[in-house]
Amino acid sequence: MLSWPAPLLPTLPGTGPVLKIYDTSRGEVVDTSPGTTARMYVCGITPYDATHLGHAATYLAFDLVNRLWRDAGHAVHYVQNVTDIDDPLLERADRDNEDWIVLAMRETALFREDMTALRVLPPEDFVGAVESIPRIVAHIETLLDDGLAYVLDDGTGDIYHDVAQAPGFGGESGYDEATMLGFFAERGGDPDRLGKRQPLDPMLWRGPRPGEPSWPGPRGTEGRPGWHIECATIALNTIGMGFDVQGGGSDLVFPHHEYSAVHAEALTATKPFARAYVHAAMIGLDGEKMSKSRGNLVFVSRLRGDGVDPMAIRLALLSGHYRTDRAWTPDLLQTAQERLDTWRRAVELDAGAPAAPVLIGLRQRLADDLDSPGAIALIDRWAEQTLAGGPDAEDDALDEEAPRIVCDAVDALLGISLGDCG
């Protein structure tokens, strides 16, 4: 599957520090400490609607991870999936009397446009579920052969993973059984399904159903894959086990990330699936989480269509910490636009306040669990000092190179283009 074009990434003097980030599974901020090539898997969209600001905030958080690793001297192997076959996609296509393939292709194309506009660095591997089905089937066959999966005895052809045979199950989320059961029921699971060995067993393969697309599956069956085995398979076939960061929204802690790890660790008989599990918080509107089910979405494409600068959208979303649930408001966007205008006026001057402390501070703040609000505050102070000096001020403290350096740093580290940096 095609990704999107990469924005130019300025090269900054020196190198950044080690990125520290909050690992959900350990409940603390940890050093990422990747090797020469940092490896990251971020769970992608189910393309049945346009990119909303909750999606955007998640992908911006992991775009910062990508940028900081590169600034620290690492190559980055970034993988993102597209769940281009799943219940929500089929339900939306049926509701709108539309071909599900056309719907998925259109919304994936719009997602690419939104990511390009927001200047998100693209993944090296952008992989759809449909194109991965042969590899998924092979993995399910392996789990069946090893006695770790079973076919439900009700004639449906549905296949489940037996989590009673998964040592350490629950270790990624840290949830107790009652909490897992609650989230499983809310987030696409079927804990009350008759015939399962355990209520928390996740579906690996859904047998054929009337009116649904299907593909050749395990043991000569037809059907389509489950959600969690999709990501486990794509990760194993691109970056392998023990990669540095598994990323996504906080609603993926359980069941999705827990089960993806269970599947991969069972297939490889090794641990861990990921060295750190990192989750971005939710964006709300009018006091509620922004979600398709609530119908309270603000779409990136709609804002762009209304003439909003994508850099203002990016800056507004980065003005809150990635791990803090926060609200989207018109005032937030207005403040971001005013801030963006101020920064652009400052970098257009012929000289500015010294840039070296700003670059050091930006790197330190962002390397400390992606403290984007702290980083933004540093640029605010620099712009204020620079604009107070004025373009013609005879002040030895002003530096002719500073506007360009700050402009490049804001671009490379925060991903915000302030225009031609000269």
Side-chain angles (χ1 to χ4, degrees):
M1 184 174 287
L2 291 175
S3 189
W4 55 90
L8 293 176
L9 194 62
T11 301
L12 302 177
T15 55
V18 171
L19 171 64
K20 300 176 184 291
I21 202 159
Y22 186 85
D23 174 18
T24 302
S25 66
R26 283 176 279 184
E28 61 183 358
V29 175
V30 300
D31 289 353
T32 53
S33 301
T36 302
T37 298
R39 297 176 294 156
M40 176 168 64
Y41 186 100
V42 178
C43 295
I45 60 166
T46 302
Y48 63 98
D49 212 337
T51 313
H52 61 71
L53 293 177
H55 292 141
T58 294
Y59 298 119
L60 291 181
F62 294 101
D63 189 53
L64 294 185
V65 172
N66 195 339
R67 289 169 180 271
L68 290 167
W69 275 338
R70 292 175 187 273
D71 184 54
H74 302 285
V76 179
H77 190 166
Y78 171 30
V79 180
Q80 188 180 132
N81 71 301
V82 178
T83 304
D84 53 356
I85 181 63
D86 203 7
D87 289 344
L89 177 64
L90 298 178
E91 290 164 2
R92 179 61 57 86
D94 183 63
R95 187 200 73 178
D96 296 345
N97 194 28
E98 184 172 10
D99 187 307
W100 67 272
I101 297 175
V102 173
L103 173 61
M105 291 177 64
R106 184 180 69 244
E107 297 303 336
T108 302
L110 184 56
F111 174 74
R112 291 190 191 97
E113 292 175 10
D114 288 337
M115 294 298 100
T116 301
L118 292 172
R119 302 186 77 252
V120 173
L121 297 174
E124 281 63 39
D125 291 290
F126 190 51
V127 186
V130 171
E131 66 185 280
S132 305
I133 286 175
R135 294 186 293 274
I136 293 171
V137 169
H139 280 159
I140 297 172
E141 292 273 15
T142 297
L143 293 173
L144 287 166
D145 290 343
D146 291 345
L148 302 175
Y150 59 95
V151 181
L152 208 63
D153 189 22
D154 63 358
T156 60
D158 295 349
I159 301 173
Y160 285 84
H161 193 141
D162 184 356
V163 296
Q165 300 186 65
F169 173 62
E172 279 70 34
S173 65
Y175 296 151
D176 60 23
E177 184 176 3
T179 302
M180 288 192 286
L181 284 168
F183 281 136
F184 194 41
E186 291 174 12
R187 298 171 179 174
D190 55 358
D192 298 325
R193 176 80 181 270
L194 295 177
K196 292 170 57 175
R197 293 178 182 173
Q198 286 82 220
L200 286 169
D201 286 351
M203 182 181 285
L204 292 165
W205 186 258
R206 177 179 168 88
R209 302 294 197 273
E212 291 188 2
S214 63
W215 291 263
R219 300 289 194 269
T221 64
E222 293 284 319
R224 55 186 172 92
W227 178 26
H228 317 302
I229 189 65
E230 166 200 345
C231 281
T233 293
I234 292 172
L236 289 176
N237 282 276
T238 52
I239 52 176
M241 290 292 288
F243 55 91
D244 297 288
V245 165
Q246 162 77 83
S250 58
D251 55 343
L252 300 186
V253 175
F254 191 92
H256 186 52
H257 285 170
E258 190 79 56
Y259 286 133
S260 296
V262 163
H263 298 332
E265 290 168 1
L267 285 162
T268 61
T270 60
K271 293 173 77 74
F273 181 47
R275 297 173 63 197
Y277 293 84
V278 181
H279 298 97
M282 298 291 105
I283 304 297
L285 183 69
D286 299 328
E288 291 188 320
K289 168 192 167 183
M290 196 175 292
S291 69
K292 294 182 176 72
S293 61
R294 289 185 170 91
N296 62 345
L297 302 179
V298 178
F299 295 109
V300 173
S301 54
R302 184 69 55 80
L303 290 173
R304 293 196 293 115
D306 290 340
V308 177
D309 187 334
M311 294 300 91
I313 300 171
R314 182 171 181 125
L315 187 50
L317 290 171
L318 292 179
S319 66
H321 193 266
Y322 83 100
R323 284 199 290 121
T324 301
D325 289 340
R326 53 205 190 274
W328 178 265
T329 65
D331 288 345
L332 184 70
L333 182 58
Q334 181 178 346
T335 297
Q337 185 62 69
E338 292 171 355
R339 173 176 276 133
L340 186 63
D341 293 342
T342 299
W343 290 6
R344 284 174 171 162
R345 284 191 290 115
V347 300
E348 288 173 355
L349 298 181
D350 294 331
V358 179
L359 178 56
I360 292 170
L362 278 178
R363 282 170 160 160
Q364 290 175 338
R365 294 271 42 84
L366 291 171
D368 183 11
D369 196 27
L370 307 182
D371 180 12
S372 56
I376 288 169
L378 290 174
I379 305 301
D380 283 342
R381 286 196 290 272
W382 177 86
E384 180 183 359
Q385 294 167 1
T386 295
L387 291 170
D392 301 317
E394 295 181 1
D395 188 340
D396 292 339
L398 295 182
D399 179 356
E400 292 182 355
E401 293 296 315
R404 179 188 59 77
I405 294 172
V406 171
C407 184
D408 280 344
V410 169
D411 187 342
L413 300 176
L414 286 171
I416 297 168
S417 174
L418 300 179
D420 185 1
C421 295

